[in-house]
Amino acid sequence: MRSRLLPASALAAAVATALLLSGCGSGDDWSRPHAKPTAVGTPGAGFFPDASPAPEATITPRPGSWNGVRPSEGYRVVLLTVGDDPQTRTLVSAVTEWAEEENVSLKTLTATRPDQFIPRISRAIEMKPDLIISAGDDLIDPLALVTPNHLDQQFLVVGAELAEPTANVTAADWTGASFRGEGLGMSSTYDPATFTPERAGRAVRAGAAAVLNGLTG
């Protein structure tokens, strides 16, 4: 597996632009530090693998083993999103519904052009959330460039993955949703029809449970 970086022209174009920012959740304005978040509840049997996974490994937790885990109140999340295709809309809806159900303080940053991708990621990091969630294949290559330089910030990619993630990047995907960057091409198993609300919701919950329990990278 290989990471693919943005071309120099795209990097040069990554300048500050107007920011689309929306929020929902507990009403937290994020102006002050808050307590370190914790996992409320514990994963069920089959969530953790029998042996500690190697870096960049893929694990398959038992279905539903993540259902007993939620973040502590006021968990701060930035949702990064690119694209208006049905798959991305399904992922965004899943994240939004999870945030509402779990009283997560959620803010959304949306990019509409390639020159906004890196500035949006940088802005999300500057906001110092507990977790940054990514939805949209076009963010994969920019994330591969930025995330290794911010190891203290946790990222969760839903419906796709980074080819060579660092320890602060977790992906929750499934057969049919395994895009890993432009340079690697679309997986032969990619299937837009697999992006159902149910599957996307499971990915968000399983991914968040993994991050909350330190099962990252």
Side-chain angles (χ1 to χ4, degrees):
M1 297 186 295
R2 295 289 184 270
S3 295
R4 300 296 177 179
L5 305 184
L6 291 179
S9 58
L11 292 176
V15 296
T17 56
L19 182 66
L20 177 59
L21 175 63
S22 60
C24 67
S26 65
D28 179 10
D29 65 5
W30 297 29
S31 62
R32 293 175 293 180
H34 73 155
K36 182 178 179 179
T38 59
V40 178
T42 57
F47 184 80
F48 292 103
D50 293 334
S52 180
E56 304 178 20
T58 298
I59 65 170
T60 304
R62 181 178 299 172
S65 60
W66 50 80
N67 287 339
V69 181
R70 61 182 176 85
S72 52
E73 185 174 353
Y75 193 55
R76 293 175 177 175
V77 174
V78 172
L79 169 61
L80 286 169
T81 178
V82 171
D84 194 39
D85 54 278
Q87 302 90 271
T88 301
R89 292 200 303 270
T90 297
L91 295 172
V92 169
S93 294
V95 175
T96 302
E97 291 172 8
W98 165 76
E100 292 174 348
E101 292 171 2
E102 303 298 350
N103 201 28
V104 168
S105 182
L106 177 69
K107 297 183 184 296
T108 301
L109 298 179
T110 301
T112 58
R113 303 190 310 270
D115 65 333
Q116 296 175 341
F117 296 167
I118 289 180
R120 292 294 188 270
I121 297 171
S122 297
R123 173 55 180 148
I125 294 170
E126 290 170 357
M127 294 166 70
K128 300 185 183 303
D130 301 311
L131 179 64
I132 295 173
I133 300 180
S134 168
D137 287 348
D138 286 342
L139 284 168
I140 297 304
D141 288 320
L143 285 169
L145 176 65
V146 175
T147 54
N149 299 312
H150 297 276
L151 297 177
D152 57 342
Q153 174 63 61
Q154 290 295 323
F155 293 83
L156 171 63
V157 180
V158 289
E161 60 186 84
L162 270 61
E164 296 179 349
T166 43
N168 58 324
V169 181
T170 304
D173 60 6
W174 55 88
T175 301
S178 52
F179 181 74
R180 294 187 297 155
E182 291 293 342
L184 296 173
M186 190 63 71
S187 168
S188 60
T189 62
Y190 182 80
D191 183 0
T194 66
F195 285 74
T196 63
E198 181 184 13
R199 189 172 282 113
R202 292 201 302 264
V204 173
R205 290 185 175 278
V211 173
L212 287 166
N213 283 276
L215 193 61
T216 63

